[in-house]
Amino acid sequence: MAKVRMGMIGGGQGAFIGAVHRIAAAIDQQIELVCGAFSSDPQRSKDSGADFYLPADRCYGTFAEMMDKEAALPADQRMQFVAIVTPNHVHFPAAKAALEAGFHVLCDKPATLDLAESKELKTIIEKSGKLFGLTHTYTGYPMVKQARHMVANGDLGEIRKVVVEYPQGWLADAIDSEGQKQAAWRTDPKKSGAAGCMGDIGTHAENLAEEITGLHVDELAADLTAFVPGRRLDDDGNVLLRFVGGAKGVLTASQIAVGEENNLAIKVWGSEGGLEWHQNEPNTLLIKSKTAPMQVYRTGNDYNCDAAKAATRTPAAHPEGYLEAFANLYLNFANHIRAVEAGETPSEFATDYPKIDDGIRGMAFIEAVVESSANNAAWTKFDL
Amino acid sequence: MAKVRMGMIGGGQGAFIGAVHRIAAAIDQQIELVCGAFSSDPQRSKDSGADFYLPADRCYGTFAEMMDKEAALPADQRMQFVAIVTPNHVHFPAAKAALEAGFHVLCDKPATLDLAESKELKTIIEKSGKLFGLTHTYTGYPMVKQARHMVANGDLGEIRKVVVEYPQGWLADAIDSEGQKQAAWRTDPKKSGAAGCMGDIGTHAENLAEEITGLHVDELAADLTAFVPGRRLDDDGNVLLRFVGGAKGVLTASQIAVGEENNLAIKVWGSEGGLEWHQNEPNTLLIKSKTAPMQVYRTGNDYNCDAAKAATRTPAAHPEGYLEAFANLYLNFANHIRAVEAGETPSEFATDYPKIDDGIRGMAFIEAVVESSANNAAWTKFDL
Amino acid sequence: MAKVRMGMIGGGQGAFIGAVHRIAAAIDQQIELVCGAFSSDPQRSKDSGADFYLPADRCYGTFAEMMDKEAALPADQRMQFVAIVTPNHVHFPAAKAALEAGFHVLCDKPATLDLAESKELKTIIEKSGKLFGLTHTYTGYPMVKQARHMVANGDLGEIRKVVVEYPQGWLADAIDSEGQKQAAWRTDPKKSGAAGCMGDIGTHAENLAEEITGLHVDELAADLTAFVPGRRLDDDGNVLLRFVGGAKGVLTASQIAVGEENNLAIKVWGSEGGLEWHQNEPNTLLIKSKTAPMQVYRTGNDYNCDAAKAATRTPAAHPEGYLEAFANLYLNFANHIRAVEAGETPSEFATDYPKIDDGIRGMAFIEAVVESSANNAAWTKFDL
Amino acid sequence: MAKVRMGMIGGGQGAFIGAVHRIAAAIDQQIELVCGAFSSDPQRSKDSGADFYLPADRCYGTFAEMMDKEAALPADQRMQFVAIVTPNHVHFPAAKAALEAGFHVLCDKPATLDLAESKELKTIIEKSGKLFGLTHTYTGYPMVKQARHMVANGDLGEIRKVVVEYPQGWLADAIDSEGQKQAAWRTDPKKSGAAGCMGDIGTHAENLAEEITGLHVDELAADLTAFVPGRRLDDDGNVLLRFVGGAKGVLTASQIAVGEENNLAIKVWGSEGGLEWHQNEPNTLLIKSKTAPMQVYRTGNDYNCDAAKAATRTPAAHPEGYLEAFANLYLNFANHIRAVEAGETPSEFATDYPKIDDGIRGMAFIEAVVESSANNAAWTKFDL
């Protein structure tokens, strides 16, 4: 057996999330980066690839070239899947090209630039017969899997209420108009899509809430704001949620919350219990009951569910973090590829990663919050 | 100089908040409980008073009797103020009777049964020339005063966002229909008013947000729910807030959040900094900045503002809690009474307690969330 | 029934711990301060008493005068017990005088200036037939009682290890030689006794460890230091502990731990479980097991033991603190007085406060750590 | 430029720390595992290597064979360094063989089986001219580097006191005599050395204290215990520390602390400030001062020192953990190899990893605590 071969689109020198993807792919030593279209500038692509110890002839100037050249390589050399780590507007064309060229795709979130693209992408995926994964990283944490397990197991009873928060502070000032590259594209509607903060991190919050509770948002009422003068997309938003089945919730996300790092947090209450998880201390899950003391579940302990244990590499209190959560998505995706390419049934956990349906829901969320906010926070349903 | 003499309406045997008021009044040894109408049953009132070492002739069967008898006592013996600690529907008639009989009033929150009453009460207060205080306890915490100070001082810049939460779990089941006295009146519209959870604890959250930020809510969109079958008033609510001046916010309160004790918490972010405070660890205030490490302000340190220091009895890490926060309201109110009765200018802190205008805002909040929710979360302004 | 009548020795204007005692006595409204020898300066004693609304003729210049005058009052007017809140060197003579005059005594810790005095005091107490309580405040916390209960109940199995810490930072500089009154007497051997930090706070740590575990220290090895140049008594100490029965431990206390407030903390591990408690968040007790998630016990919940519940006034997450812990000692002591004076059997909790045997152990601890440290940390037994 | 080529001794199927080393080496994609002597059983070594995608001819049955065969390979193919991840008794012979065959060595801790070996190893290293690194993982954390920086910068003033704790609970029962492999060798004097708990984790605590403070332990007094009946080595120990220059301290480590995961923690106080760090939440460093609020330093922020920033891959609150801390040692070691092999001056951070002198101090610590404890906790100096 050999490592699974990966190509990458985007992620050249100066990029942020590309480096994260490469680390995530490397951690478990099951995936090998073999090629990339790291930049639309061919020389820059080759320079970037050299940093990753790739030969120049596997560093391409366009993803179209990449597909052509890789497809022409022998089956045991060509890449098996491609990781797409570009700004949002490139997701769809890159994924389409890869799928149609016969490659599996692991794509950064949100899935596409708009909802229509993501629906079309689903059709393309189904037609291609290839795998598509979406890197909603936070669902890769063991304690998120444990939370999901306990809700599914009925430990919390019927879910009644969800409060999910995602405050960041890095866009509190107008750095997007001052040349900060990460800020610039995220606040540009042509590259980011219809929403800013809500697309970049609000979708993570929506995905986390739905993943843990197993519930779907039915309708929402959103109040989005661009607090920084001149900013073209929202940098903050507050959303009322109504879930199918009657649960209620609040989602609040911000990129102008000064002094906040990346504090995605969720609280869920059901008729019998509650849970609480904070991404900035991800190895702890708080479980609340009506009559007993609160319990502190911790990563790496035997009492956790199998999915949580499978997503952990070290014993308790050898803290694993964001990169390992990300690696869990990569590892499952690689194992899924191996299974389908071998014609075998994938193991339970090999298919435990976000897919296009999560991506479509994320895009529907974005369009719903933007529409609702434009209508003065009118209740708006997902256009699925 | 002598202790300030207090009477009490409500708070007899079996009551909850009355005992808290008596402790709060006792802590600083500046107030003496001299009489009470502890129960509408005269014998029960006398029995309760005996528990508090009061003579039977100062324990009355009605507040009307109390006003008559006390007013007839010599000036240096009669009560100087009355604490009203009944269910909500008694607040207005009791306060009216006391004020018109010439006594100052310290009333539990919310101010009255409905907004109209509280507006009428303001007129009565002004006409009486007497003092009226409202026990929004949480504003009595030193670290809340410190937070208020830092916002007023501009340390956070222009306020942009407020997230205030108040989850409790004690009404997750239908204990109100099973004879639990505290639950029963709080879920009875005739005794509690138009809102349940929102009146009982939502008003605390609203008051805290306005007190710390110095901002007023302009309009809100509320989604209230009664999750427990058969409950007549909301036991949960999620509210979008828009403040005068452009700040936005979220208020969420619940009494069905299983496993939550009494976890009022607030986060505020401005253009230059942020703050965070949790009532369940009230001696800590977190201050966040753009570039420096987060600072952990703690009760009892010299770096705190004068109002915070004046509200603290012991050195740092001799934790003071809810009862001391409550006592701070009593102490200031007693000092204010002394000043006005002596014809002196009260000290700065003597007037630092919630008053009828806070009460009116609280009632306007209640009516707005109920109206908004009835209109499917339509934006609704305070009717002031 | 009437309130229990208290006198006070020490605690006049400018004192620290006297004010704390008066609050503790006031909180539950079962005790009335009726007289005091607040200062050795008669006028200052009267001035102090006036602050507490006492008549001048109940404010004495000496405790000897106090005993004479009070004993001469009618039985239903004279004080029933005296609280001694002076520097350490006055504890013994004041307690002796009070006991021999027929008054119960509640004394601040440590019990006396040296071990010999405390042994003599025990004889005096027994001869007098009066009650003697010692205000090791921290054992008054509900969660300390819960910890004690769980150890006694065998929940932790056989105790193996104890780590108790008490860091403070307020003596990191030479404020004792710069006129700070609290610092000056605590570092003066004539007023404080043989130890500085170890007497002032080390004894609290020793008492807490023994109270929670029910174990007695058998021998110890201590390394004491006076870090601040010119200081006559230790301001820091590290101690190895060996308990009767084979448990081991560490006790570390400091008053030069810059930035520490008053962070008494204890961890205990037995063959089956562990516990952890921190005084700066006193309403939380962590319980650890071999196989299950850690449990977070919190004050005010039904699952706590009866002693913990009896020591709590408000529901969960209405945080009670240091003053309430102190009040628990006062309340139990007052109830014990009532029972013995009525010739009744005291309730279980009425006798739940530290007594002279705890005081003797504390003094033996002080003498042992000083002797051990003088012998280069040689193992030293308690001289009981 | 190519990746640095690594071989591994030990770490085959069923091992714990070998897998951790491989992840640490993989994370930053600068190191390639090219060969291994994973087991003393040749077939098992090849089977293990196959799991890591290694060809059978690079999987050796002994480290001697490994040295011979690798040395015979072309310079651009042979391994450049070897990672030793065996039980302690193999460290010395394996390191000796590798160094003498011309390979750099990165060795798990403690350095050797006893102190004499580690002194001899130093001579061998110096003679070989090769690099030797020791994986005291915890010093790889960014916040440990920040702590070290602030002490060195004088932010804490003159260091006075250190309290370092390392509680684990996994050896609370006699699992070592029940076939648990990790437990068995750690409690076997022939494989573990003179100490059990103190060698396994006590050395980490000692190393952390010395690394952060820049101070050396001068003498210590230790009380070691084997609480579990039949255990041949200590499973718990309490140690008084005296540092060169006058600072004092306490070190306590345990493997019978039921319910503790891996909670290495350190507190340091100097004349001007204090610090506190806990490995179970490694991205937080608390900084304490005399007059200002405590500061919460967090990984990933611009205010950190260069060494901390260089040891971080992601922005703040994308938590990095134990594996990344470990990777920081590997990355620096690989960069150091590149520099010396290229004849260049290594960058500052390339040499920032523990070396043989740290290893010798660790072994001296082990021998000192064992000797002290055998002498009833007599003060004992390091035999350097």
Side-chain angles (χ1 to χ4, degrees):
Chain A
M1 198 164 68
K3 292 189 180 180
V4 176
R5 295 178 304 281
M6 169 174 81
M8 178 168 274
I9 299 175
Q13 292 164 340
F16 157 59
I17 202 68
V20 169
H21 278 254
R22 285 189 296 272
I23 294 173
I27 282 179
D28 293 302
Q29 309 145 63
Q30 302 301 320
I31 296 168
E32 185 181 5
L33 178 66
V34 295
C35 66
F38 300 107
S39 170
S40 52
D41 172 342
Q43 188 55 46
R44 191 180 175 80
S45 183
K46 286 184 199 313
D47 290 348
S48 294
D51 288 352
F52 319 140
Y53 307 109
L54 292 182
D57 63 355
R58 301 289 287 273
C59 300
Y60 309 103
T62 66
F63 60 75
E65 179 195 358
M66 185 190 197
M67 300 309 149
D68 289 346
K69 296 271 179 67
E70 288 291 316
L73 290 174
D76 64 349
Q77 292 179 31
R78 76 171 75 111
M79 69 176 182
Q80 292 167 276
F81 78 97
V82 66
I84 302 174
V85 299
T86 63
N88 303 346
H89 65 298
V90 183
H91 290 183
F92 177 77
K96 181 173 190 293
L99 290 161
E100 291 180 348
F103 299 106
H104 307 290
V105 170
L106 190 59
C107 185
D108 210 82
K109 44 54 56 188
T112 52
L113 193 67
D114 61 32
L115 176 57
E117 277 187 357
S118 67
K119 290 177 177 174
E120 186 178 346
L121 183 57
K122 182 173 181 179
T123 304
I124 296 167
I125 294 165
E126 290 174 344
K127 196 170 162 192
S128 75
K130 296 294 163 185
L131 302 180
F132 179 86
L134 193 70
T135 55
H136 273 304
T137 320
Y138 303 106
T139 63
Y141 277 112
M143 287 298 98
V144 170
K145 295 178 189 294
Q146 177 67 19
R148 181 185 62 182
H149 167 79
M150 295 180 81
V151 172
N153 197 44
D155 294 357
L156 274 67
E158 188 181 5
I159 300 306
R160 289 171 167 176
K161 179 158 188 172
V162 178
V163 175
V164 60
E165 303 174 86
Y166 201 153
Q168 294 181 332
W170 67 294
L171 291 178
D173 293 310
I175 59 171
D176 36 339
S177 56
E178 292 159 3
Q180 212 273 19
K181 183 180 165 181
Q182 296 300 326
W185 79 255
R186 278 179 174 80
T187 56
D188 177 353
K190 289 184 188 152
K191 295 182 177 173
S192 184
C197 170
M198 279 293 151
D200 193 28
I201 62 174
T203 49
H204 276 309
E206 170 265 338
N207 180 258
L208 185 71
E210 296 199 340
E211 175 75 4
I212 287 179
T213 63
L215 297 178
H216 280 177
V217 173
D218 180 41
E219 60 180 355
L220 53 75
D223 193 22
L224 309 189
T225 311
F227 277 104
V228 173
R231 186 162 286 162
R232 288 172 291 170
L233 293 174
D234 58 288
D235 50 29
D236 183 87
N238 301 317
V239 187
L240 302 179
L241 302 174
R242 289 175 178 165
F243 292 88
V244 176
K248 300 285 184 81
V250 170
L251 183 155
T252 176
S254 186
Q255 295 182 314
I256 55 89
V258 173
E260 300 295 330
E261 296 179 335
N262 192 42
N263 299 329
L264 176 62
I266 188 165
K267 297 174 196 147
V268 178
W269 296 279
S271 55
E272 302 303 321
L275 67 80
E276 179 172 347
W277 180 80
H278 294 257
Q279 195 268 153
N280 62 1
E281 199 190 339
N283 297 299
T284 296
L285 173 68
L286 303 176
I287 298 294
K288 303 165 187 182
S289 90
K290 288 180 183 168
T291 55
M294 183 169 72
Q295 291 181 297
V296 183
Y297 280 70
R298 294 269 301 161
T299 308
N301 284 289
D302 280 346
Y303 50 68
N304 288 314
C305 69
D306 290 343
K309 284 193 277 195
T312 312
R313 292 150 193 83
T314 50
H318 295 76
E320 299 192 24
Y322 173 80
L323 294 169
E324 287 79 14
F326 219 124
N328 289 332
L329 303 187
Y330 264 89
L331 183 59
N332 289 348
F333 192 67
N335 285 335
H336 198 183
I337 289 174
R338 280 176 166 154
V340 298
E341 299 204 345
E344 295 169 355
T345 303
S347 68
E348 180 189 3
F349 305 129
T351 63
D352 185 11
Y353 57 86
K355 302 186 186 68
I356 186 60
D357 284 342
D358 300 280
I360 290 174
R361 291 195 64 78
M363 296 312 302
F365 169 80
I366 290 172
E367 302 212 347
V369 293
V370 170
E371 180 185 335
S372 171
S373 190
N375 290 323
N376 200 26
W379 288 102
T380 306
K381 289 183 183 285
F382 280 24
D383 176 22
L384 295 170
Chain B
M1 198 162 69
K3 292 188 181 181
V4 176
R5 296 178 303 280
M6 170 174 80
M8 177 168 275
I9 299 174
Q13 292 164 340
F16 157 59
I17 203 67
V20 169
H21 278 255
R22 285 189 296 270
I23 294 173
I27 283 179
D28 293 301
Q29 307 145 62
Q30 302 301 319
I31 296 167
E32 186 180 4
L33 178 68
V34 296
C35 66
F38 300 107
S39 169
S40 52
D41 172 341
Q43 188 56 45
R44 189 179 176 81
S45 183
K46 285 186 201 312
D47 290 348
S48 296
D51 288 351
F52 319 139
Y53 308 108
L54 292 182
D57 64 354
R58 301 290 287 274
C59 301
Y60 308 103
T62 65
F63 61 76
E65 179 195 357
M66 184 190 196
M67 301 309 149
D68 288 347
K69 296 271 179 68
E70 288 291 316
L73 290 173
D76 63 349
Q77 292 179 31
R78 75 169 77 111
M79 69 174 181
Q80 292 167 275
F81 77 98
V82 66
I84 302 174
V85 299
T86 63
N88 304 346
H89 65 297
V90 183
H91 291 183
F92 176 77
K96 181 173 190 291
L99 290 161
E100 292 179 349
F103 299 106
H104 307 289
V105 171
L106 188 59
C107 185
D108 209 82
K109 44 53 57 186
T112 52
L113 192 67
D114 61 31
L115 176 58
E117 276 187 357
S118 67
K119 289 177 177 174
E120 186 179 347
L121 183 56
K122 183 173 181 180
T123 305
I124 295 166
I125 294 165
E126 289 174 345
K127 194 169 162 193
S128 75
K130 295 296 162 184
L131 302 180
F132 179 87
L134 193 70
T135 55
H136 273 302
T137 320
Y138 303 106
T139 62
Y141 277 113
M143 287 297 98
V144 170
K145 295 179 189 293
Q146 178 66 17
R148 180 185 64 182
H149 168 79
M150 295 181 80
V151 172
N153 197 43
D155 294 357
L156 273 67
E158 188 180 5
I159 300 306
R160 289 171 168 177
K161 180 158 186 171
V162 178
V163 175
V164 61
E165 302 174 86
Y166 200 153
Q168 294 180 333
W170 68 293
L171 291 178
D173 293 311
I175 60 171
D176 36 338
S177 56
E178 292 159 2
Q180 212 271 19
K181 182 179 167 183
Q182 297 300 326
W185 79 255
R186 280 178 172 79
T187 56
D188 177 353
K190 288 185 187 152
K191 294 181 178 173
S192 184
C197 170
M198 280 293 151
D200 194 27
I201 62 174
T203 48
H204 275 308
E206 170 265 339
N207 180 258
L208 185 70
E210 296 199 340
E211 176 75 3
I212 286 179
T213 63
L215 297 177
H216 279 177
V217 173
D218 181 41
E219 59 180 356
L220 54 77
D223 192 23
L224 310 188
T225 310
F227 277 104
V228 173
R231 187 162 286 161
R232 289 172 291 170
L233 293 173
D234 58 286
D235 49 30
D236 182 86
N238 301 316
V239 187
L240 302 179
L241 302 173
R242 289 174 177 165
F243 292 88
V244 176
K248 300 284 183 81
V250 169
L251 183 155
T252 176
S254 185
Q255 295 181 315
I256 55 88
V258 172
E260 301 295 331
E261 296 179 335
N262 192 43
N263 299 329
L264 176 61
I266 188 166
K267 297 173 196 148
V268 178
W269 296 279
S271 55
E272 302 303 322
L275 67 80
E276 180 172 346
W277 179 80
H278 294 257
Q279 196 269 152
N280 63 0
E281 198 189 338
N283 296 299
T284 295
L285 173 67
L286 303 177
I287 298 294
K288 303 165 187 182
S289 91
K290 288 179 183 169
T291 55
M294 182 169 74
Q295 291 181 298
V296 183
Y297 279 70
R298 294 270 299 162
T299 307
N301 284 288
D302 280 345
Y303 52 68
N304 288 316
C305 70
D306 289 344
K309 285 192 276 196
T312 313
R313 292 150 193 83
T314 50
H318 295 77
E320 299 192 24
Y322 173 80
L323 295 168
E324 287 79 15
F326 219 123
N328 289 332
L329 303 187
Y330 265 89
L331 183 59
N332 288 347
F333 192 67
N335 285 335
H336 198 182
I337 289 173
R338 279 174 167 157
V340 297
E341 298 203 343
E344 294 169 358
T345 303
S347 68
E348 179 190 2
F349 305 127
T351 63
D352 185 12
Y353 58 85
K355 303 186 185 68
I356 187 59
D357 285 341
D358 301 279
I360 290 173
R361 291 196 64 78
M363 296 312 303
F365 168 81
I366 290 172
E367 302 213 344
V369 293
V370 170
E371 180 185 336
S372 172
S373 190
N375 292 321
N376 199 26
W379 289 102
T380 305
K381 288 183 184 286
F382 280 25
D383 176 23
L384 295 170
Chain C
M1 200 162 66
K3 292 188 181 181
V4 176
R5 296 177 304 279
M6 170 174 80
M8 178 168 275
I9 300 175
Q13 291 165 340
F16 157 59
I17 203 68
V20 169
H21 278 254
R22 286 189 295 272
I23 294 172
I27 283 179
D28 292 302
Q29 308 146 63
Q30 301 301 320
I31 296 167
E32 185 179 6
L33 177 68
V34 296
C35 66
F38 300 107
S39 169
S40 53
D41 171 343
Q43 187 56 46
R44 189 180 176 81
S45 182
K46 285 184 200 313
D47 289 349
S48 295
D51 287 352
F52 319 139
Y53 309 108
L54 292 182
D57 64 355
R58 300 291 286 274
C59 300
Y60 308 103
T62 66
F63 60 76
E65 180 195 359
M66 184 190 196
M67 302 308 149
D68 289 347
K69 298 272 179 66
E70 288 292 316
L73 289 174
D76 63 349
Q77 292 180 31
R78 77 169 76 111
M79 67 175 182
Q80 293 166 274
F81 78 98
V82 66
I84 302 175
V85 299
T86 64
N88 304 345
H89 66 297
V90 183
H91 291 182
F92 177 78
K96 182 174 189 290
L99 290 161
E100 292 180 349
F103 300 107
H104 309 289
V105 170
L106 188 61
C107 185
D108 210 83
K109 42 55 55 189
T112 53
L113 193 66
D114 60 31
L115 176 58
E117 277 186 358
S118 68
K119 290 176 177 174
E120 187 179 346
L121 183 57
K122 182 173 180 178
T123 306
I124 296 167
I125 294 165
E126 289 173 346
K127 196 170 162 191
S128 75
K130 294 296 163 185
L131 303 180
F132 179 86
L134 193 71
T135 54
H136 273 302
T137 320
Y138 302 107
T139 62
Y141 277 113
M143 287 296 98
V144 170
K145 295 178 189 292
Q146 177 67 17
R148 181 184 65 183
H149 167 79
M150 294 180 82
V151 172
N153 197 43
D155 294 357
L156 275 66
E158 189 180 4
I159 300 305
R160 290 172 166 177
K161 180 158 188 171
V162 179
V163 174
V164 60
E165 303 173 85
Y166 201 153
Q168 293 181 333
W170 68 295
L171 291 178
D173 292 311
I175 60 171
D176 36 338
S177 56
E178 292 159 3
Q180 211 272 18
K181 182 179 168 183
Q182 297 298 327
W185 79 255
R186 280 180 173 78
T187 57
D188 177 353
K190 289 185 187 152
K191 295 182 177 171
S192 183
C197 170
M198 280 293 152
D200 193 26
I201 63 174
T203 49
H204 276 308
E206 170 266 337
N207 179 258
L208 185 70
E210 297 199 340
E211 176 76 2
I212 286 179
T213 63
L215 298 177
H216 279 177
V217 174
D218 181 41
E219 58 181 356
L220 54 76
D223 192 23
L224 309 188
T225 310
F227 277 105
V228 173
R231 187 162 286 162
R232 289 173 291 171
L233 293 173
D234 59 286
D235 50 28
D236 183 87
N238 301 317
V239 187
L240 301 179
L241 302 174
R242 289 175 179 164
F243 292 87
V244 177
K248 300 286 183 79
V250 170
L251 182 155
T252 178
S254 186
Q255 294 181 315
I256 55 86
V258 172
E260 300 296 331
E261 295 179 336
N262 191 45
N263 298 329
L264 176 62
I266 188 166
K267 296 172 198 151
V268 178
W269 296 280
S271 56
E272 302 304 322
L275 66 80
E276 179 172 346
W277 180 79
H278 294 257
Q279 196 267 153
N280 63 0
E281 198 190 338
N283 296 300
T284 296
L285 173 68
L286 303 177
I287 298 295
K288 302 164 188 184
S289 90
K290 288 180 184 170
T291 54
M294 182 169 74
Q295 290 182 297
V296 183
Y297 280 70
R298 294 269 301 163
T299 308
N301 284 289
D302 280 346
Y303 51 68
N304 288 315
C305 70
D306 289 345
K309 284 192 276 195
T312 313
R313 292 152 193 82
T314 49
H318 295 76
E320 299 192 24
Y322 173 82
L323 294 168
E324 287 79 14
F326 219 123
N328 288 332
L329 302 187
Y330 264 89
L331 182 59
N332 288 347
F333 192 68
N335 284 335
H336 198 182
I337 289 174
R338 280 175 167 154
V340 298
E341 298 204 344
E344 295 169 356
T345 303
S347 67
E348 180 189 3
F349 305 128
T351 64
D352 184 13
Y353 57 85
K355 304 188 184 65
I356 186 61
D357 286 341
D358 300 280
I360 291 174
R361 291 197 63 79
M363 296 312 302
F365 168 80
I366 291 172
E367 300 213 346
V369 294
V370 169
E371 180 185 336
S372 172
S373 190
N375 291 323
N376 200 26
W379 288 103
T380 305
K381 288 184 184 286
F382 279 25
D383 177 23
L384 293 170
Chain D
M1 199 163 69
K3 292 188 181 181
V4 176
R5 295 178 303 281
M6 171 174 80
M8 177 168 276
I9 299 174
Q13 292 164 341
F16 157 58
I17 203 70
V20 169
H21 278 255
R22 285 189 296 272
I23 294 172
I27 283 179
D28 292 303
Q29 309 146 62
Q30 302 301 319
I31 296 168
E32 185 180 5
L33 178 68
V34 295
C35 66
F38 300 107
S39 170
S40 52
D41 172 343
Q43 188 56 46
R44 190 180 176 81
S45 184
K46 286 185 201 311
D47 290 349
S48 295
D51 287 352
F52 318 140
Y53 308 107
L54 292 182
D57 64 355
R58 301 290 288 274
C59 300
Y60 309 103
T62 67
F63 60 76
E65 179 195 357
M66 184 190 197
M67 301 308 149
D68 289 346
K69 298 271 179 68
E70 288 291 316
L73 291 174
D76 63 350
Q77 293 179 30
R78 78 170 74 110
M79 70 175 180
Q80 291 166 276
F81 78 98
V82 65
I84 301 174
V85 300
T86 65
N88 303 346
H89 65 298
V90 183
H91 290 184
F92 176 77
K96 182 173 188 291
L99 291 161
E100 291 180 348
F103 299 107
H104 308 290
V105 171
L106 189 59
C107 185
D108 210 81
K109 44 53 57 188
T112 53
L113 193 66
D114 61 30
L115 176 57
E117 276 187 357
S118 68
K119 289 177 177 174
E120 187 179 345
L121 183 56
K122 182 173 182 179
T123 305
I124 295 168
I125 294 164
E126 289 173 345
K127 197 170 161 193
S128 74
K130 295 295 163 186
L131 301 180
F132 179 86
L134 192 71
T135 54
H136 273 304
T137 320
Y138 303 106
T139 62
Y141 276 112
M143 287 297 98
V144 170
K145 295 177 190 292
Q146 177 66 18
R148 181 184 64 182
H149 168 78
M150 295 181 81
V151 172
N153 197 44
D155 294 357
L156 274 66
E158 189 180 5
I159 300 305
R160 289 172 167 176
K161 179 158 189 170
V162 178
V163 174
V164 61
E165 302 173 85
Y166 200 153
Q168 294 180 333
W170 67 294
L171 292 178
D173 293 311
I175 60 170
D176 36 339
S177 56
E178 292 159 4
Q180 211 271 19
K181 183 179 168 182
Q182 297 299 328
W185 79 255
R186 279 179 172 79
T187 57
D188 177 353
K190 288 185 188 152
K191 295 183 177 171
S192 183
C197 171
M198 279 291 151
D200 194 28
I201 62 174
T203 48
H204 275 309
E206 170 265 339
N207 180 258
L208 186 70
E210 296 199 341
E211 176 76 2
I212 286 179
T213 63
L215 298 177
H216 280 178
V217 173
D218 181 40
E219 58 180 358
L220 54 75
D223 193 22
L224 309 188
T225 310
F227 277 105
V228 173
R231 187 162 286 163
R232 290 173 291 170
L233 293 174
D234 58 286
D235 51 27
D236 183 86
N238 302 317
V239 188
L240 301 179
L241 302 173
R242 290 175 179 165
F243 292 87
V244 178
K248 299 286 184 78
V250 170
L251 182 155
T252 178
S254 186
Q255 294 182 314
I256 53 88
V258 172
E260 300 294 330
E261 297 179 335
N262 192 44
N263 298 329
L264 176 62
I266 188 166
K267 298 173 196 148
V268 178
W269 296 280
S271 55
E272 302 303 322
L275 67 80
E276 180 172 346
W277 179 80
H278 294 257
Q279 196 268 154
N280 62 0
E281 198 190 338
N283 296 300
T284 295
L285 173 68
L286 303 177
I287 297 295
K288 303 164 187 183
S289 90
K290 288 180 184 169
T291 54
M294 183 169 73
Q295 290 181 299
V296 183
Y297 279 70
R298 294 269 300 163
T299 308
N301 284 290
D302 280 345
Y303 50 68
N304 287 315
C305 69
D306 289 344
K309 284 192 277 194
T312 313
R313 292 150 193 83
T314 49
H318 295 76
E320 299 192 23
Y322 174 79
L323 295 168
E324 288 78 16
F326 219 124
N328 289 330
L329 303 187
Y330 265 88
L331 183 60
N332 289 347
F333 192 66
N335 285 335
H336 198 183
I337 288 175
R338 280 175 166 154
V340 298
E341 298 204 344
E344 294 169 356
T345 303
S347 68
E348 179 189 3
F349 304 128
T351 63
D352 185 14
Y353 57 85
K355 303 187 185 66
I356 186 60
D357 285 342
D358 301 280
I360 291 174
R361 291 196 64 79
M363 296 311 303
F365 168 79
I366 290 172
E367 301 212 346
V369 294
V370 170
E371 179 185 335
S372 172
S373 189
N375 291 322
N376 201 25
W379 288 103
T380 306
K381 288 183 185 285
F382 279 24
D383 177 22
L384 295 170

